[in-house]
């Protein structure tokens, strides 16, 4: 499945999210048309995307929602719970540490770090902020592969280097800067100003 | 410039961010090679993207950083400051209200809303949380075109409808659900679980 274009992979979490919402509402089956209306993607595109991975729907009867959820979870490897760490406990780090939307989607925050002596030792929910001084050792020993990076832009690359050294393979980067990582490490960026600027072009 | 592919528009804020960082470091000129190394995009792609909008660099001498920043700001329409509202003052709304990264990038938060009586009237930084009961009127009267939506998924579509009614043209949607808007309204989604699932596929 390595040859599947990244843009298709990027749409699968959107489908999964919409299906989970349908399931919460008590729905049992759906069609590519109905799913398409929910996510703003054409029915033909959805059928094509999903068919890359197998035959999960039936002509005429559509998709069984819970079955398709199960399959998408397997494909995206969120049929398990990934332990995550947050590095950088500013406002965004705090918001993410308390975010309720991870647990039924394959993730849980298990460790939180900062380098500020005044923050270290403080509790955020059930977690205690740990010193990031020996970050690589702690992350490596815990076997954590997924990290949310919420440090200032000036610190992002240095911390990313430590995460790579610790064996981290997926970084969700909230720092407003690009970071360089080896090819076997994935990075996704969340920067509200970048998303906003992408829209103002059209205004 | 309406015909320029959205994927190119999406890269311009990344270039702008990297150029602003270079300028902060005191650099005056750069090349598509150097910029490419910063953002992880090929020099050829950068040259091609930027040339869609005019001739901003010179063969051999590269780009004048402050000039290219000025041009990209004009293209993205962030050579001005856009007033923004935040609707939904949970943890994420609070973090965004206090976020320091907007001002030099074309945006400022000027109004914040929630429907919780216990939150209404509370201060967040210099702003006071307002009642979202008459949201459309307030947003419309203030002429606000850009909104960050940080309400629960179950409320997102209803609030989005009010924003559209109020004349909002760009919504940065943090609610973990898709929302439907008319074709003249832009929506960008930020959902950490979606970004994370897009990476776990590769792990």
């Amino acid at each position: 499945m390595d040859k599947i274009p990244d843009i298709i992979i990027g749409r699968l979490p959107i489908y999964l999210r919409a299906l989970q919402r349908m399931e919460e509402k008590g729905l049992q089956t759906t069609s590519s048309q109905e799913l398409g209306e929910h996510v703003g993607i054409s029915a033909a595109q959805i059928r094509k995307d999903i068919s890359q991975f197998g035959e999960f729907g039936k002509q005429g009867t559509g998709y069984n929602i819970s079955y398709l959820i199960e399959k998408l979870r397997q494909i995206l490897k969120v049929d398990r719970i990934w332990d995550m760490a947050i590095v950088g406990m500013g406002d965004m780090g705090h918001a993410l540490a308390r975010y309720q939307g991870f647990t039924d989607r394959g993730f849980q925050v298990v460790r939180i770090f900062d380098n500020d002596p005044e923050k270290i030792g403080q509790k955020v929910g059930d977690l205690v902020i740990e010193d990031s001084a020996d970050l690589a050792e702690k992350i490596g020993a815990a076997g954590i592969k997924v990290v949310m990076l919420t440090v200032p832009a000036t610190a992002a690359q240095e911390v990313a280097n430590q995460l790579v050294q610790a064996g981290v393979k997926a970084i969700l980067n909230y720092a407003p800067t690009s970071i360089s990582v080896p090819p076997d490490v994935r990075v996704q960026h969340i920067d509200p100003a970048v998303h906003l600027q992408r829209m103002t072009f059209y205004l």
Side-chain angles (χ1 to χ4, degrees), chain A residues 24-90:
Chain A
E24 282 166 20
K25 287 182 186 161
L27 298 173
Q28 295 186 338
T29 60
T30 189
S31 62
S32 45
Q33 283 79 4
E34 187 180 49
L35 183 55
E37 283 162 25
H38 275 84
V39 298
I41 295 170
S42 76
Q45 184 70 65
I46 290 174
R47 278 195 299 272
K48 199 177 156 195
D49 287 352
I50 292 175
S51 70
Q52 301 277 322
F53 303 93
E55 277 303 320
F56 302 142
K58 280 182 191 155
Q59 191 80 35
T61 60
Y63 299 107
N64 177 294
I65 290 173
S66 66
Y67 179 71
L68 188 52
I69 287 174
E70 185 191 331
K71 287 297 164 187
L72 286 174
R73 279 183 156 155
Q74 288 169 7
I75 292 164
L76 292 169
K77 301 199 183 81
V78 288
D79 53 348
R80 65 210 79 175
I81 301 289
W82 293 88
D83 285 347
M84 283 194 296
I86 301 173
V87 185
M89 291 304 292

Side-chain angles (χ1 to χ4, degrees), chain A residues 11-202:
Chain A
R11 284 191 290 261
L12 300 184
I14 311 288
Y15 303 157
L16 177 55
R17 186 175 67 179
L19 290 162
Q20 286 182 303
R21 201 147 293 282
M22 288 178 184
E23 192 178 48
E24 282 166 20
K25 287 182 186 161
L27 298 173
Q28 295 186 338
T29 60
T30 189
S31 62
S32 45
Q33 283 79 4
E34 187 180 49
L35 183 55
E37 283 162 25
H38 275 84
V39 298
I41 295 170
S42 76
Q45 184 70 65
I46 290 174
R47 278 195 299 272
K48 199 177 156 195
D49 287 352
I50 292 175
S51 70
Q52 301 277 322
F53 303 93
E55 277 303 320
F56 302 142
K58 280 182 191 155
Q59 191 80 35
T61 60
Y63 299 107
N64 177 294
I65 290 173
S66 66
Y67 179 71
L68 188 52
I69 287 174
E70 185 191 331
K71 287 297 164 187
L72 286 174
R73 279 183 156 155
Q74 288 169 7
I75 292 164
L76 292 169
K77 301 199 183 81
V78 288
D79 53 348
R80 65 210 79 175
I81 301 289
W82 293 88
D83 285 347
M84 283 194 296
I86 301 173
V87 185
M89 291 304 292
D91 287 327
M92 192 56 67
H94 274 82
L96 289 170
R98 286 192 290 253
Y99 186 61
Q100 300 296 312
F102 288 130
T103 35
D104 62 340
R105 298 172 75 191
F107 304 93
Q108 63 180 352
V109 178
V110 296
R111 305 282 285 268
I112 56 178
F113 296 92
D114 203 287
N115 66 354
D116 180 347
E118 293 194 6
K119 288 183 182 166
I120 295 164
Q122 282 186 8
K123 282 194 85 171
V124 181
D126 294 334
L127 300 171
V128 175
I129 300 178
E130 299 176 60
D131 190 348
S132 60
D134 42 3
L135 184 66
E137 287 162 44
K138 285 173 178 164
I139 296 272
I144 291 170
K145 301 296 173 201
V146 183
V147 169
M148 293 190 285
L149 186 59
T150 48
V151 299
T154 46
Q157 185 62 58
E158 191 192 317
V159 175
N161 294 347
Q162 293 175 50
L163 296 175
V164 168
Q165 185 197 327
V168 168
K169 297 296 177 197
I171 299 174
L172 185 52
N173 177 29
Y174 280 80
T177 185
S178 301
I179 54 173
S180 301
V181 297
D184 66 323
V185 178
R186 316 291 303 190
V187 178
Q188 289 272 306
H189 298 273
I190 289 184
D191 180 339
V194 162
H195 283 82
L196 290 165
Q197 291 177 345
R198 190 173 180 160
M199 295 191 285
T200 48
F201 172 83
Y202 297 97

